[in-house]
Amino acid sequence: SDVYKRQVVVPARSMTEQEEWRAKMITNKCGCVLGGARNSEPFITFAEAAERSEPQGLIPIPIRQSVEFLLKWGLNIEGLFRKPGNIRTVKGWIEGMNNDPFWVIPDEGGPSNTANTASFIVKFLMGTNHAHNRSVPQVEADDGTMVDDDGIMGRDTRRCFPTTAELKTESEEVLGRAKEYLEGMHASNYESLKMLTYLMTQIAANSEVNKMTPENLALCVMPLFRPQYAYLIEHYAELFIRSEPGGFLPP
């Protein structure tokens, strides 16, 4: 369908890659496993979700579709991410995406589906975060130690990212360390976090209307990393510089 081509196939760089993507999605049933929606499967790591979703293994389809939808419909919605979506609807979306490689977020609902889409994002982020789901195994770091996989935020965020007290100093040294942490991320974490955080900057830019500041958004979207994520939103232009082929480029 035209919707499928616009929202899913566009990032592929050639017809061959498009066909590889379609075959991969069909084989894995889209492979998104949002929040362990398939009872027969365990939670998966963020990198695995990205690898299952597209040939480049960069941005999982739940993130890509949801961000595109909210950039179109959600920037002026009061309380976006703070007001939960309909549990039954979101569950149905999860099942749809896990079982249909051509499933897309219903566009006909427009603004009425923004809360559902926001909840869809949060559910996916929670489903691929070790702290929320202890069934997600630890991963091996470059130095051979086993660390928590902290979902989209990367590996062992609490130990490696500047502390809350350090972030409050707003120093160039802290900004440099935060940038260094992001630069060391796996490509899928970096590109997905860049795309998601761009959405947050656009929502926060309309905070007089939607009442969602960087702090409010961070509390709703990344409650376990609220200070860190608020900092990323506020310093987006300074921190997200790298760009992977096929990754996210702000409009």
Side-chain angles (χ1 to χ4, degrees), residues 196-197 200-202 204 213-215 217-218 221 228-237 239-240:
L196 181 65
T197 308
M200 300 304 150
T201 66
Q202 300 308 293
T213 64
E215 293 78 13
L217 288 165
V221 178
Q228 293 88 346
Y229 195 55
Y231 187 84
L232 296 187
I233 298 171
E234 292 167 350
H235 296 274
Y236 178 87
L239 292 170
F240 290 94

Side-chain angles (χ1 to χ4, degrees), residues 135-195:
S135 59
V136 176
Q138 289 188 312
V139 295
E140 186 173 352
D142 294 336
D143 61 3
T145 60
M146 300 304 292
V147 299
D148 286 350
D149 187 295
D150 286 330
I152 195 172
M153 286 292 287
R155 294 180 178 182
D156 252 16
T157 309
R158 290 178 184 80
R159 288 197 293 175
C160 302
F161 201 83
T163 66
T164 301
E166 290 171 335
L167 294 175
K168 290 180 180 179
T169 67
E170 292 288 340
S171 71
E172 288 297 320
E173 186 268 337
V174 170
L175 182 68
R177 284 174 52 205
K179 186 182 297 185
E180 182 180 359
Y181 177 82
L182 294 174
E183 289 295 313
M185 277 184 163
H186 187 279
S188 62
N189 293 81
Y190 184 88
E191 288 296 331
S192 300
L193 191 62
K194 181 170 67 170
M195 186 176 197

Side-chain angles (χ1 to χ4, degrees), residues 235-247:
H235 296 274
Y236 178 87
E238 301 159 280
L239 292 170
F240 290 94
I241 299 173
R242 191 176 98 203
S243 184
E244 298 286 338

